[in-house]
Amino acid sequence: VHRKVYAEFVQKLVQKVLELKVGNGTESTVTQGPLINQRAIDKVAAHIADAIAQGANVAVGGKVAQPGTLYFQPTILTDVTPSMRVCQEETFGPVAPLLPFDSEEEAICLANQTRYGLAGYFYTRDLNKAFRVAEKLELGAVGVNEAVISSESVPIGGVKESGIGREGASQGIEEF
């Protein structure tokens, strides 16, 4: 998040996260369902614990929503640094680690300095910047001004150490 709007962004995001409802995804009012298994819960909790141990703060969430279940509170972490596990590993859980940046180049560097590259998202009002940044990001998929970039009918896969190809490629056929 650009440093100029970081504090305001954190406040607004916390308010939106507080509106989310964790629970059974078959219920119409639920917006956040369960994680896949206990290992996923443990991984999310470990990533948060590592971040806190290294100086991050939990702005909201940070715990299992209902003990003994696979529901985890949507979590926002502030004061995050690139060395934290939450920035170096794929969490696959409801955690938003927020890192401030000062320039476009710094933001691209932060995004690309991990060995993973499944997907990334960014927002801008500048169409030239949208193309420029999207082309420089080392990711399998990029969402520009969009948070939902996948579809059940479109193959998705990562680059670097994210994934093993695309579902529609020969690797996908071999899996079936």
Side-chain angles (χ1 to χ4, degrees):
V1 178
H2 199 284
R3 193 173 311 277
K4 289 181 183 176
V5 297
Y6 186 84
E8 181 182 0
F9 182 87
V10 170
Q11 272 186 326
K12 288 182 177 184
L13 186 57
V14 165
Q15 290 307 309
K16 289 295 183 184
V17 166
L18 289 171
E19 295 173 12
L20 298 175
K21 182 178 177 190
V22 178
N24 185 328
T26 61
E27 296 175 18
S28 63
T29 59
V30 168
T31 55
Q32 173 70 46
L35 273 66
I36 192 165
N37 57 30
Q38 187 60 46
R39 281 182 45 206
I41 291 281
D42 296 343
K43 184 177 184 182
V44 170
H47 282 196
I48 292 169
D50 172 75
I52 292 169
Q54 294 188 57
N57 291 297
V58 176
V60 68
K63 299 177 185 165
V64 172
Q66 300 167 17
T69 71
L70 298 178
Y71 300 116
F72 204 95
Q73 297 173 340
T75 302
I76 300 172
L77 298 175
T78 60
D79 303 310
V80 175
T81 61
S83 64
M84 296 174 183
R85 287 180 65 193
V86 74
C87 292
Q88 292 301 317
E89 299 177 13
E90 294 177 309
T91 305
F92 292 116
V95 181
L98 303 182
L99 290 86
F101 67 87
D102 292 302
S103 68
E104 178 180 310
E105 295 76 23
E106 182 184 8
I108 292 167
C109 180
L110 285 168
N112 289 340
Q113 70 181 11
T114 173
R115 65 184 196 257
Y116 299 101
L118 183 58
Y121 312 84
F122 70 96
Y123 293 80
T124 182
R125 293 182 180 137
D126 182 335
L127 185 58
N128 288 326
K129 182 182 287 188
F131 282 104
R132 186 174 60 246
V133 171
E135 289 174 357
K136 291 180 182 177
L137 291 173
E138 299 167 0
L139 302 166
V142 177
V144 180
N145 298 340
E146 177 63 53
V148 181
I149 58 173
S150 61
S151 166
E152 71 282 350
S153 62
V154 179
I156 185 170
V159 297
K160 302 180 189 179
E161 293 184 34
S162 287
I164 55 170
R166 305 286 194 265
E167 294 91 341
S170 61
Q171 298 93 337
I173 298 297
E174 290 169 7
E175 290 296 316
F176 288 104

